[in-house]
């Protein structure tokens, strides 16, 4: 029996929720993925009661975001937040074009 998945657009609001609550929280050695406790406190403060799959997805999105943020320390890797990425050798190409 195949699992029943939520409708494809059902999770769009979770991206907004991720950035309202997190996308991470302070840990003893830096930023860590959102905990169940942090998500529960946020839901209580916002008057929300997320479905279990929504909470699981928020925790996973938090971990994925922070993982990509760590990888983005390498200048050849895109950061998870978009816009600030520069393609490899872009500065050289701009300098060459201006010479």
């Amino acid at each position: 029996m195949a699992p029943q998945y939520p409708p494809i657009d059902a999770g769009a609001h979770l991206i907004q929720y991720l950035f309202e609550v997190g996308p991470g929280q302070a840990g003893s050695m830096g930023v860590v993925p959102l905990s169940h406790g942090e998500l529960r406190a946020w839901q209580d403060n916002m008057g929300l009661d997320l479905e279990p799959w929504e909470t699981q997805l928020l925790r996973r999105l938090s971990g994925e975001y922070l993982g990509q943020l760590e990888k983005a320390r390498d200048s050849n890797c895109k950061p998870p937040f978009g816009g600030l990425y520069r393609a490899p050798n872009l500065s050289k190409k701009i300098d060459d074009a201006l010479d």
Side-chain angles (χ1 to χ4, degrees), residues 8-75:
I8 196 80
D9 63 346
H13 64 285
L14 294 176
I15 301 297
Q16 179 181 348
Y17 288 171
L18 177 67
F19 288 99
E20 285 181 12
V21 67
Q25 67 182 69
S28 61
M29 307 250 328
V31 181
V32 297
L34 296 169
S35 68
H36 285 284
E38 187 74 14
L39 287 168
R40 178 77 264 158
W42 177 78
Q43 288 178 74
D44 291 346
N45 288 338
M46 299 302 290
L48 297 172
D49 192 21
L50 299 178
E51 295 291 326
W53 71 266
E54 293 174 304
T55 303
Q56 288 175 330
L57 185 56
L58 278 174
R59 286 182 37 82
R60 179 163 181 200
L61 289 172
S62 174
E64 293 291 332
Y65 181 93
L66 296 178
Q68 187 62 35
L69 192 61
E70 182 61 31
K71 289 178 189 174
R73 291 177 186 252
D74 179 347
S75 62

